Amino acid sequence: YYELPDGTRVDLRKTSAGRDLCRLPELFFSDEIPFTKSHQSQTTHSSSSTTTTTTTAKRTSPTTTTTSPPTFSTLPMHELVKSSLTAIPDADVRKELCGNIILCGAASLFPNLEQRLSLEMSHAVPSMYRCKVIASRNTMERRYAAWIGGSILTSLGSFQQLWLSHAEYEEYGAVLAMQRFP
């Protein structure tokens, strides 16, 4: 059930739109991306009949050319975590990080996301690694974790030395940013 601001309770399982809404978190773990141009049906006309074929867009690794911006990955969540862990050359550090996967942000508030990511990670990494997914029980903390962390970081005196002011950017442009933040 979902409760509206006026107190009305809506059973999402009784409508097709509600059932679709309940399946949204599954997209975090899916290899297929729905609602893309290559996912929709394509119709081919021949002289005798019309044939309809359906193609499905598959998620690709970051090294494969895609139409998405290069800063966004289309990999499922567990594959992103796995690729981040495998990019770490030190096995001891990798094992330590695998045991401390932190789930935060508003999307982490989907029901059972923590358990599902933990299950997928246990299948994705070798058994010698014990994956532990950590998520705060405080929903406000999880929802605003990036803002909280950013405010703490910007309040540090040592971080303020790294700032690139508007005047500096106007004088030197993006070259200074590339030199200061390689």
Side-chain angles (χ1 to χ4, degrees), residues 39-107:
H39 186 268
Q40 297 167 355
S41 296
Q42 299 172 348
T43 304
T44 311
H45 297 284
S46 63
S47 58
S48 60
S49 65
T50 303
T51 308
T52 303
T53 58
T54 303
T55 58
T56 303
K58 287 284 190 179
R59 293 186 186 236
T60 57
S61 66
T63 57
T64 308
T65 305
T66 63
T67 58
S68 300
T71 57
F72 296 116
S73 176
T74 57
L75 289 173
M77 183 186 293
H78 60 284
E79 291 295 327
L80 284 171
V81 174
K82 180 183 174 186
S83 66
S84 296
L85 289 171
T86 55
I88 299 167
D90 188 353
D92 293 332
V93 173
R94 190 178 320 124
K95 188 173 184 177
E96 183 72 25
L97 289 175
C98 192
N100 292 293
I101 300 169
I102 300 187
L103 194 59
C104 64

Side-chain angles (χ1 to χ4, degrees), residues 102-109 113 134-136 141-146:
I102 300 187
L103 194 59
C104 64
S108 72
L109 297 173
L113 188 66
I134 303 164
S136 173
E141 183 179 311
R142 276 170 73 178
R143 178 175 288 166
Y144 299 113

